[in-house]
Amino acid sequence: MRLQSTISRLCEHHELPADDYQALLTTDDAESMAFLHNEAQRVTENVFGRNVYIRGLLEISNHCRNNCHYCGIRKGNSNLHRYRLSKSEIIESCMIGYERGFRTFVLQGGEDPAQTTDWLVDVVTTLHSKFPNCAITLSLGEKSYVDYERLRLAGAERYLLRHETYDPIHYAQLHPEEMSRDRRLQCLRSLKSLGYQTGAGMMVGSPYQTVDNLVEDLLFIQQFTPEMIGIGPFIAHHDTPFHNFPNGSPLFTLRLISILRLMHPHALIPATTALATLLSDGHTRGIMAGANVIMPNLTPAGVRNDYALYDHKAGYGAESVEGLDLLRAELSKIDYTIKIGRGDYSPTCLFPSPSPVGKRKCG
Ligand code: SAH
């Protein structure tokens, strides 16, 4: 097996030089890849047990002031029915989620100027008092330090903001002129310094992406140490400038999940909706590759299809709050169970095994 020693080094030291990441991303050696996935799954099990955390994903608005070239809810898409949830709809949805066992709510949306920081602070404060044993995660794009701070003080503890791509030139190919890689990174640093559990990540196979871009993404994630890492394949949306580009590869996404798991054994890594959209067994394949989180959709059914980031986005069945039993059944086939709880990031071993995972060792 060609890359066994590289994978073992990643497993032991949690970091590699660029050349080694390059080799892992370009190899066609099936045996090495099987070893990579096995190691990643073993490390995940050592840290978290055979448990999967669930987060209720509530898409609170599909209005967006940005015009990202890949995204179906971009400002320039005039073929989309736009919606924004009211405070009471958000609370109602969280109630439904709470009854089904969710203890984390992820409020995601476009950058909607009508959902002002004052309004969001009120929503977060209310959720925090109504669900004191739940974590509130936000995924609402770029804001000022002061806005992030106000939301943090109101009770939001986690923030997902994918860096999308570390390379500034690639970033400019994916985004309109007024957005920049530097601003994105500045936001991520602000979030970390405010004490948010912070999520970064990128799309896999986005237009113009090179292997070198992905190596840079890995090196960035290695150094930034996000508590959460969200990656999924790029999927074309028919009403965007990228409608003719091919979808990213789900298998290559699994390879990256495994590398990221060995890099950050304690990170929260979802098997994402995009992965489940392209692979019918995306959840279980993601978990077997080292993911440990699934985010079923909690958005009211009447508007769920309108949060159309890309074509054929999954949001029903095992990808939804209504389908939790289906998800349980999928997971039980691979002998995993849903763990009810907040599922916070914790850089210690949660499930000591005969060969426990120390902070810098992976069994
Ligand atoms: N406005 C928020 C939420 C964006 S949607 C923010 O800026 O963070 C959440 C994620 O969906 C994005 O970060 C992006 O990585 C992903 N996404 C958007 N369009 C996509 C597409 N066409 N294919 C795959 N993933 C996409």
Side-chain angles (χ1 to χ4, degrees), residues 197-212:
Q197 293 175 42
T198 304
M202 62 281 181
M203 285 175 288
V204 178
S206 60
Y208 312 110
Q209 185 179 60
T210 62
V211 171
D212 285 344

Side-chain angles (χ1 to χ4, degrees), residues 200-257:
M202 62 281 181
M203 285 175 288
V204 178
S206 60
Y208 312 110
Q209 185 179 60
T210 62
V211 171
D212 285 344
N213 293 152
L214 283 170
V215 170
E216 283 193 78
D217 289 325
L218 290 175
L219 292 172
F220 165 66
I221 291 174
Q222 178 178 292
Q223 160 265 315
F224 185 71
T225 56
E227 286 80 11
M228 304 173 286
I229 307 168
I231 64 165
F234 161 77
I235 304 175
H237 184 289
H238 62 279
D239 275 326
T240 63
F242 289 164
H243 65 277
N244 274 333
F245 280 87
N247 293 338
S249 155
L251 296 189
F252 198 52
T253 304
L254 294 172
R255 184 185 300 203
L256 278 150
I257 287 176

